[in-house]
Amino acid sequence: MDFSVVAGMFDRLESTSSRLEMADIMADYFSKAGPGELKSMVYLSQGRLGPEFATKEFGMADRLVLKAISFTSGDTDAATEALWFELGDPGAVAERLLGRKKQTTLFSEKLTLGRVIEVLTAIANAEGRDSQDKKMKLLANLLHNSDPVEARYICRIVAGRMRIGVASMTMLDALAIAFAEKSDRDEIERAFNVTSDLGLVAEALATGGLDAVREIKVGVGNPIKVMLAERLPSLGEILGRMGGRCALEYKYDGIRVQAHISPDGVKLYSRRLEDLTPNFPDIVESLRERCRHGTLIVEGECVAVDPETEAMLPFQNVTLRRRKHNMAEAVMKVPVRLFMFDLLYADGVDYTVKPFPERRAALADAFELGGDLGLTHLEVVSSEGEADAFFDGALAKKCEGIMAKSLNDDSVYRAGSRGFLWIKYKRDYRSDLADTFDLVVVGAFHGRGKRAGLYGALLMAVYDEDTGRYGTVCKLGTGFDDAFLEALPGMLEGWETDSAPKHVDAEMKPDVWVEPAVVLEVAGAEMSVSPIHTAAMGVFREGSGVGIRFPRFTGRVRDDKAPEDATTVAELVAMYRMQLDPAAE
Ligand code: ATP
């Protein structure tokens, strides 16, 4: 397939923000591609060469991409850089400069998708002392043969700025349209949720249809999308919803990890599928040494503990393990414990389809426990009094609350979904404060006075799972300390844009727009219907959304969450209803 076809698809996708239209466009192209090509198209649409959890970064900063552009176009580095300042995107620079050049040269040969993949792979794999130069020349070689639109996307891909806004859910819609019936969408999504690999699902669908998709099973090496909890405002309601009896566990305040153990080794994934293996070498070693199975997938929360007293420490401590360098020192300084709460797979058996009591029993037998490996503290309760006492115990141990888990026959592990089989109940609910929100930065306001030269406030949004769009809920300017304000420009670097990002709906206009990427935890006094905010637009009043009043940054950057994992519109609506009438839920 010519790469110009793929670039043409990207171009069409970029010009629409309708999820339905995007799915139709992709379905059209997907149905005409061969299986191998389809896989590459799926990955490239999200700016990668493979699934999210297993692809190498290209390792090309904007300036290195610009160098390759100058090298190809014959412009000076200074001229290319000046244009980059004007346009803000290396893809646009390449399109402009190479467009001009292409009118005068006729030596290039047509690029195929295969060739682009081959060179991009070489760029990602280039290592060693002269790797930067190698990457630059490989890219220049590719640009030499690309037309302006192809160049735009190639440069964006290597610079990590693809951002044509194709969410995984839209891709699944497209696959269903191209290769199955609309009613098969759930089965296709299931295969994605248990493998986190869109390319794999696409290839199976294109070659073996729905039967092949049904054959896709949980397995070691493919992280499973995590199951999440709903919230309810009181322990009484939680018990009621669970049928009068449930398991309660401490809700530990750490980093969630999914451990994949096999004879080849142990890998740890974060809830957003990052590889955390290098950050917890001690836990990796314990899991490997003390596992009683050949292959196993378990989940747990990694929590920092006081080296002297073994008491659990607040979340900020375990984040010290997220550093890249000098891990040996961090391991010494920040000892951690893994509190395991679920078992999803063991020696060829898929446990995600089994009820929770069966999974928990298997988990209890899966390791020689002790030291840094333990199970979450659990108790089965059937009265509000018991639940209350358990909750108090959790707080005394410095946990952030408790998790209630269904013990019923249908209490399977629902990969990738939030439901009432797990219900969380936190300290904050009891003190009448609303739960915290995980909000996405979509804009920034320049600071004044003491904050001059920095950003002083942020425009924050929630995510709408149905439309794939972001709606604003507040302007956030409280809770920032000096260190955070200093770090903020770096955090947002590369995400700022001149106009509103494609998937953001906003009435309020910030000084600088920001692509959805950074998630911050925010506490608020209350929610209210608001004409200037766009989240849950029209749900409670025509022409108005729901806003968060007196928002305050809690100090917690949720870098374990992708923007799609932020608080959703559905959650916001449920929380607002809970606030209006706590007894009604
Ligand atoms: P929060 O922001 O409250 O952590 P969340 O959106 O990240 O919430 P929830 O589904 O609300 O996720 O809560 C589940 C999270 O709580 C898990 O992702 C996990 O990290 C953590 N956790 C701590 N203890 C437990 C436990 N015993 N069982 C399951 N999850 C637990």
Side-chain angles (χ1 to χ4, degrees), residues 406-434:
S406 167
L407 296 169
N408 297 337
D409 290 347
D410 65 352
S411 59
V412 296
Y413 185 93
R414 290 243 163 85
S417 91
R418 190 182 287 281
F420 283 98
L421 290 173
W422 288 5
I423 306 176
K424 59 181 168 179
Y425 184 73
K426 293 208 236 174
R427 186 175 44 221
D428 308 344
Y429 304 2
R430 214 187 227 184
S431 55
D432 279 346
L433 289 173

Coordinates of all heavy atoms in Angstrom, one line a residue, residues 406-434:
S406 N -18.0 -7.5 45.7 CA -19.1 -8.4 45.6 C -18.6 -9.9 45.8 O -17.5 -10.2 45.2 CB -19.8 -8.3 44.3 OG -20.7 -9.4 44.1
L407 N -19.3 -10.7 46.5 CA -19.0 -12.1 46.6 C -19.9 -13.0 45.8 O -19.9 -14.2 45.9 CB -19.1 -12.5 48.1 CG -18.1 -11.8 49.0 CD1 -18.5 -12.0 50.5 CD2 -16.7 -12.2 48.8
N408 N -20.8 -12.4 45.0 CA -21.8 -13.1 44.3 C -21.3 -13.9 43.2 O -20.1 -13.7 42.8 CB -22.9 -12.1 43.8 CG -23.6 -11.4 44.9 OD1 -23.6 -12.0 46.1 ND2 -24.1 -10.3 44.7
D409 N -22.1 -14.8 42.6 CA -21.6 -15.7 41.5 C -21.2 -14.9 40.3 O -20.4 -15.4 39.5 CB -22.8 -16.6 41.1 CG -23.0 -17.7 42.2 OD1 -22.2 -17.7 43.1 OD2 -24.1 -18.3 42.2
D410 N -21.7 -13.7 40.1 CA -21.4 -12.9 38.9 C -20.2 -12.0 39.2 O -20.0 -11.1 38.4 CB -22.6 -12.1 38.4 CG -23.0 -11.1 39.4 OD1 -22.5 -11.0 40.5 OD2 -23.9 -10.2 39.1
S411 N -19.5 -12.2 40.3 CA -18.4 -11.2 40.6 C -17.1 -11.5 39.8 O -16.1 -11.7 40.4 CB -18.2 -11.2 42.1 OG -17.8 -12.5 42.5
V412 N -17.2 -11.5 38.5 CA -16.1 -11.7 37.7 C -15.2 -10.5 37.6 O -15.6 -9.4 38.1 CB -16.5 -12.0 36.2 CG1 -17.3 -13.3 36.2 CG2 -17.3 -10.9 35.6
Y413 N -14.0 -10.6 37.1 CA -13.1 -9.4 36.9 C -13.5 -8.8 35.6 O -13.2 -9.3 34.5 CB -11.6 -9.9 36.9 CG -10.7 -8.7 36.8 CD1 -10.1 -8.2 38.0 CD2 -10.3 -8.1 35.6 CE1 -9.2 -7.2 38.0 CE2 -9.4 -7.1 35.6 CZ -8.8 -6.6 36.8 OH -8.0 -5.6 36.8
R414 N -14.1 -7.6 35.7 CA -14.5 -6.9 34.4 C -13.4 -6.0 33.9 O -13.3 -4.8 34.3 CB -15.7 -6.0 34.8 CG -16.9 -6.7 35.0 CD -18.0 -6.4 34.0 NE -19.1 -7.4 34.1 CZ -20.1 -7.4 34.9 NH1 -20.2 -6.3 35.7 NH2 -21.0 -8.3 34.9
A415 N -12.6 -6.6 33.0 CA -11.4 -5.8 32.5 C -11.9 -4.5 31.8 O -12.8 -4.5 31.1 CB -10.7 -6.7 31.5
G416 N -11.2 -3.4 32.2 CA -11.5 -2.2 31.5 C -12.8 -1.5 31.8 O -13.2 -0.6 31.1
S417 N -13.4 -1.9 32.9 CA -14.7 -1.2 33.2 C -14.8 -0.8 34.7 O -14.2 -1.4 35.6 CB -15.9 -2.1 32.7 OG -16.3 -2.9 33.7
R418 N -15.7 0.2 34.9 CA -16.0 0.6 36.2 C -17.4 0.2 36.5 O -18.3 0.5 35.8 CB -15.9 2.2 36.2 CG -15.9 2.8 37.6 CD -15.9 4.3 37.5 NE -14.6 4.9 37.1 CZ -13.6 5.0 38.0 NH1 -13.7 4.7 39.2 NH2 -12.4 5.6 37.5
G419 N -17.6 -0.5 37.6 CA -18.9 -1.0 37.9 C -19.1 -1.2 39.4 O -18.2 -0.9 40.2
F420 N -20.3 -1.7 39.8 CA -20.7 -1.8 41.2 C -20.3 -3.1 41.8 O -20.7 -3.4 42.9 CB -22.2 -1.6 41.3 CG -22.6 -0.1 41.3 CD1 -23.1 0.5 40.1 CD2 -22.4 0.7 42.4 CE1 -23.4 1.8 40.1 CE2 -22.7 2.1 42.4 CZ -23.2 2.6 41.2
L421 N -19.5 -3.9 41.1 CA -19.0 -5.2 41.7 C -17.9 -4.8 42.7 O -17.6 -5.5 43.6 CB -18.4 -6.1 40.6 CG -19.4 -6.8 39.7 CD1 -18.7 -7.5 38.6 CD2 -20.3 -7.7 40.5
W422 N -17.3 -3.6 42.5 CA -16.4 -3.0 43.4 C -16.9 -1.6 43.8 O -17.3 -0.9 42.8 CB -15.0 -2.8 42.9 CG -14.1 -4.0 42.6 CD1 -14.5 -5.3 42.8 CD2 -12.8 -4.0 42.2 NE1 -13.5 -6.2 42.5 CE2 -12.4 -5.4 42.1 CE3 -11.9 -3.0 41.9 CZ2 -11.1 -5.8 41.7 CZ3 -10.6 -3.4 41.4 CH2 -10.2 -4.8 41.4
I423 N -17.0 -1.3 45.0 CA -17.4 0.1 45.4 C -16.4 0.6 46.4 O -16.1 0.0 47.4 CB -18.9 0.0 46.0 CG1 -19.8 -0.7 45.1 CG2 -19.4 1.5 46.3 CD1 -21.2 -0.9 45.6
K424 N -16.0 1.9 46.1 CA -15.0 2.5 47.0 C -15.7 3.4 48.0 O -16.8 4.0 47.7 CB -14.0 3.2 46.2 CG -14.4 4.3 45.3 CD -13.3 5.0 44.6 CE -13.7 5.9 43.5 NZ -12.7 6.5 42.8
Y425 N -15.2 3.5 49.2 CA -15.7 4.4 50.2 C -14.5 5.1 50.9 O -13.7 4.4 51.4 CB -16.6 3.6 51.2 CG -17.2 4.5 52.2 CD1 -18.3 5.3 51.8 CD2 -16.8 4.6 53.5 CE1 -18.9 6.2 52.7 CE2 -17.4 5.4 54.4 CZ -18.5 6.2 54.0 OH -19.1 7.0 54.9
K426 N -14.4 6.4 50.8 CA -13.2 7.0 51.2 C -13.4 7.9 52.4 O -14.6 8.4 52.7 CB -12.6 7.9 50.1 CG -12.1 7.0 49.0 CD -10.9 7.8 48.3 CE -11.2 7.9 46.8 NZ -10.2 8.7 46.1
R427 N -12.4 8.2 53.1 CA -12.4 9.1 54.3 C -13.1 10.4 54.0 O -14.0 10.8 54.8 CB -10.9 9.4 54.5 CG -10.6 10.2 55.7 CD -9.1 10.3 55.9 NE -8.5 10.6 54.6 CZ -7.3 10.1 54.2 NH1 -6.7 9.2 54.9 NH2 -6.8 10.4 53.0
D428 N -12.9 11.0 52.8 CA -13.5 12.3 52.5 C -15.0 12.2 52.4 O -15.7 13.2 52.7 CB -13.1 12.7 51.1 CG -11.6 12.7 50.9 OD1 -10.9 12.6 51.9 OD2 -11.1 12.7 49.8
Y429 N -15.6 11.0 52.1 CA -17.1 11.0 52.0 C -17.7 11.2 53.3 O -18.8 11.8 53.5 CB -17.5 9.6 51.5 CG -17.0 9.1 50.2 CD1 -16.1 9.9 49.5 CD2 -17.4 7.9 49.6 CE1 -15.5 9.4 48.3 CE2 -16.9 7.4 48.5 CZ -15.9 8.2 47.8 OH -15.4 7.7 46.6
R430 N -17.0 10.7 54.4 CA -17.6 10.8 55.7 C -17.6 12.2 56.2 O -18.5 12.6 57.0 CB -16.8 9.9 56.6 CG -17.7 9.3 57.6 CD -16.8 8.6 58.6 NE -17.3 7.2 58.9 CZ -16.8 6.4 59.7 NH1 -15.8 6.7 60.4 NH2 -17.4 5.2 59.9
S431 N -16.6 13.0 55.8 CA -16.5 14.3 56.3 C -17.3 15.3 55.5 O -17.1 16.5 55.5 CB -15.1 14.8 56.4 OG -14.5 14.7 55.2
D432 N -18.2 14.7 54.6 CA -19.2 15.5 53.8 C -18.5 16.2 52.7 O -19.2 17.0 52.0 CB -19.9 16.5 54.7 CG -21.1 15.8 55.4 OD1 -21.4 14.7 54.9 OD2 -21.7 16.4 56.3
L433 N -17.2 16.1 52.5 CA -16.6 16.7 51.3 C -16.9 15.8 50.2 O -17.0 14.6 50.3 CB -15.1 16.8 51.5 CG -14.6 17.8 52.6 CD1 -13.1 17.7 52.8 CD2 -15.0 19.2 52.1
A434 N -17.0 16.4 49.0 CA -17.1 15.6 47.8 C -15.8 14.8 47.6 O -14.8 15.2 48.2 CB -17.4 16.5 46.6

